[in-house]
Amino acid sequence: MAAEIENVLKERGLNVIRDKSSLPYTGKIKSFMETIGKGKYVIVILSNEYLMSENCMFEMLEIKNHGSINQRVFPIVLNDAAIYVPSERLKYNNHWINEKA
């Protein structure tokens, strides 16, 4: 899905920065995610895997720290991202509490 979105945006002449195609193999992921966080527009594909990933949570904090989330972040929520039911969201919360401990 991400590759398809990337291709469509590039076909329309937009500059797209994506980890799989823009980050060299030996690139520094933290620096890359800081750059993403500063993006004028950010498409976030939320999946269970994304919500359980330390790197992705760092990326999300970088995005949040640069403000204007409602104007520049465009989320796509996949079916496996259980965020709409409070009891399911608690699983993510508990996961990160356990990770921190």
Side-chain angles (χ1 to χ4, degrees):
M1 174 183 288
E4 293 170 23
I5 294 168
E6 178 183 16
N7 290 336
V8 168
L9 294 174
K10 284 184 174 182
E11 286 172 3
R12 295 181 182 197
L14 298 171
N15 181 28
V16 177
I17 299 171
R18 179 176 167 230
D19 58 353
K20 302 263 191 221
S21 57
S22 301
L23 181 66
Y25 176 71
T26 58
K28 298 188 185 234
I29 189 75
K30 296 287 185 190
S31 296
F32 180 79
M33 289 184 290
E34 289 168 354
T35 300
I36 295 295
K38 297 174 188 172
K40 184 174 181 179
Y41 301 106
V42 182
I43 297 172
V44 178
I45 300 176
L46 291 175
S47 65
N48 182 67
E49 182 180 0
Y50 185 97
L51 294 167
M52 301 293 272
S53 165
E54 184 175 346
N55 283 335
C56 294
M57 292 301 96
F58 177 81
E59 177 182 84
M60 186 55 70
L61 286 173
E62 288 298 310
I63 293 167
K64 177 192 158 292
N65 289 339
H66 285 88
S68 303
I69 291 176
N70 292 336
Q71 289 78 36
R72 61 188 197 95
V73 177
F74 300 88
I76 297 172
V77 182
L78 300 184
N79 289 335
D80 71 340
I83 63 170
Y84 294 114
V85 177
S87 61
E88 293 295 317
R89 279 196 310 267
L90 279 174
K91 292 178 185 177
Y92 296 117
N93 186 58
N94 292 336
H95 168 77
W96 290 110
I97 288 171
N98 292 333
E99 286 294 308
K100 187 174 180 181

